[in-house]
Amino acid sequence: MAPAVRLRSVVLDCPDPRALAEFYAAVVGGTPEAEEGEEDWYVLRVPGGPRLAFQRVEGMTPPEWPRADRNSQQFHLDLDAGATWEEVDAAHARVLELGARPLDLEDREKKDFLVYADPAGHPFCLCRIEDGSSS
């Protein structure tokens, strides 16, 4: 069956679209671009991946991880950090250097992922993907 539509963008609300677009550009690649005449909307075209967009929301409240009872995470990004823990450890060091905050680094051998918050507070995971495919 043919799909009804194509995915255009994943949009993240944030207080500073340029800063968050630059964070993700450093993490996954690409160049952030402001929509012409707009400082409230940035787009990041991820090489080989989806388009990420960032929109300014005044007074944004970041999700509380891992709460589902109030202000839930709503969504998160799973990022392929490599097939080995050495690759994941290198990605871990880099995202911390870029401003990510650890949320859950426990039981990594059991779960094969580590959980962080980006500078605006959105959760994302660095995943160890042994076969190169995403889950």
Side-chain angles (χ1 to χ4, degrees):
M1 177 179 278
V5 298
R6 291 187 318 255
L7 175 65
R8 176 171 169 76
S9 303
V10 174
V11 182
L12 286 82
D13 293 349
C14 57
D16 186 344
R18 179 180 179 183
L20 197 58
E22 289 173 351
F23 170 82
Y24 278 105
V27 172
V28 299
T31 302
E33 299 172 4
E35 293 288 313
E36 191 166 330
E38 287 285 331
E39 289 297 314
D40 292 340
W41 182 270
Y42 273 76
V43 172
L44 177 64
R45 286 173 179 78
V46 177
R51 179 179 118 137
L52 296 177
F54 307 88
Q55 69 180 353
R56 183 181 316 279
V57 173
E58 298 300 329
M60 186 206 122
T61 302
E64 294 178 51
W65 189 91
R67 297 193 66 148
D69 57 342
R70 69 167 197 227
N71 196 25
S72 67
Q73 68 176 328
Q74 300 172 13
F75 82 96
H76 68 274
L77 300 174
D78 280 350
L79 306 175
D80 183 345
T84 68
W85 282 113
E86 291 76 22
E87 291 171 301
V88 175
D89 289 342
H92 164 85
R94 181 72 174 130
V95 299
L96 292 180
E97 177 183 294
L98 293 168
R101 180 173 44 91
L103 295 177
D104 183 356
L105 306 180
E106 302 299 318
D107 299 325
R108 71 187 210 167
E109 280 78 19
K110 254 200 265 190
K111 296 189 296 190
D112 281 344
F113 63 89
L114 306 172
V115 185
Y116 303 83
D118 68 24
H122 303 102
F124 71 92
C125 297
L126 293 181
C127 303
R128 184 175 67 92
I129 310 295
E130 289 185 43
D131 63 2
S133 66
S134 57
S135 56

